[in-house]
Amino acid sequence: MMFDKLRELRDYEAKTQKETAKILNVKRSTYAGWESGKDIIPILKLNDLANFYAVTLDYLVGLNDKPEKRKEKVIIDKTAISDNIKMIRLKHHLTQEALGKSINTSQANIHKYEKGKSLITTMYAIELAKNYDYSLEELIQKTK
């Protein structure tokens, strides 16, 4: 399961679901749904967990099996995400519609993501990373 690391890391840190939920400022049942895979954790909360555990998003969602450590806390940069999505699309010579189809969403959503009108969902971000060999860490931050 894609989010097995949520439980593994929680267990490793000897935290309960209730304690982890409190860190994320959500109800225990909400966190339990994310951990079980019943619901998808929003990318902002996923980033909060990555910061708490000091691991990369790629490791946390299973895109990378190597437990890479974050050297510092990361704040999601919505403008960087918009710019990075557009950069990926242009690099691969895709229309918004073609990019949307490749990650199972609509052209309208890609347009909203590129314009910064809405934040990409976790699942679409993961699909983007997988399909275009791009790190989630790179996706959410300004390029240095």
Side-chain angles (χ1 to χ4, degrees):
M1 186 181 294
M2 187 169 295
F3 296 108
D4 286 343
K5 296 278 191 275
L6 299 182
R7 181 171 184 172
E8 287 176 25
L9 288 167
R10 180 178 59 78
D11 287 346
Y12 180 79
E13 294 289 329
K15 297 281 184 202
T16 64
Q17 284 186 345
K18 186 176 181 179
E19 291 169 325
T20 306
K22 187 174 181 178
I23 290 164
L24 296 174
N25 198 27
V26 297
K27 293 180 181 179
R28 188 212 58 83
S29 60
T30 299
Y31 177 79
W34 297 337
E35 189 176 279
S36 70
K38 179 181 173 226
D39 299 308
I40 303 300
I41 185 170
I43 200 157
L44 291 170
K45 295 297 182 182
L46 187 67
N47 188 61
D48 289 345
L49 268 183
N51 281 331
F52 177 75
Y53 293 129
V55 297
T56 64
L57 288 173
D58 298 290
Y59 177 72
L60 197 55
V61 301
L63 291 175
N64 183 342
D65 291 334
K66 185 179 169 192
E68 295 179 62
K69 290 286 188 181
R70 277 186 169 174
K71 294 173 181 52
E72 56 190 40
K73 289 190 177 195
V74 173
I75 297 171
I76 287 184
D77 185 323
K78 293 178 185 179
T79 303
I81 292 173
S82 299
D83 293 345
N84 289 333
I85 291 170
K86 186 172 185 177
M87 183 270 306
I88 291 167
R89 180 176 64 78
L90 295 175
K91 179 180 176 184
H92 293 277
H93 309 287
L94 298 170
T95 63
Q96 289 179 342
E97 183 178 9
L99 180 62
K101 282 183 181 177
S102 76
I103 65 170
N104 300 313
T105 192
S106 67
Q107 177 274 329
N109 279 341
I110 298 299
H111 178 77
K112 289 177 191 173
Y113 300 153
E114 286 186 4
K115 294 295 183 186
K117 292 181 179 180
S118 64
L119 186 61
I120 192 168
T121 66
T122 302
M123 291 312 295
Y124 295 146
I126 291 168
E127 286 301 308
L128 193 69
K130 286 195 296 191
N131 291 352
Y132 298 98
D133 195 31
Y134 207 77
S135 162
L136 289 179
E137 293 291 303
E138 294 172 319
L139 181 66
I140 68 164
Q141 299 179 68
K142 284 192 186 305
T143 306
K144 296 179 181 176

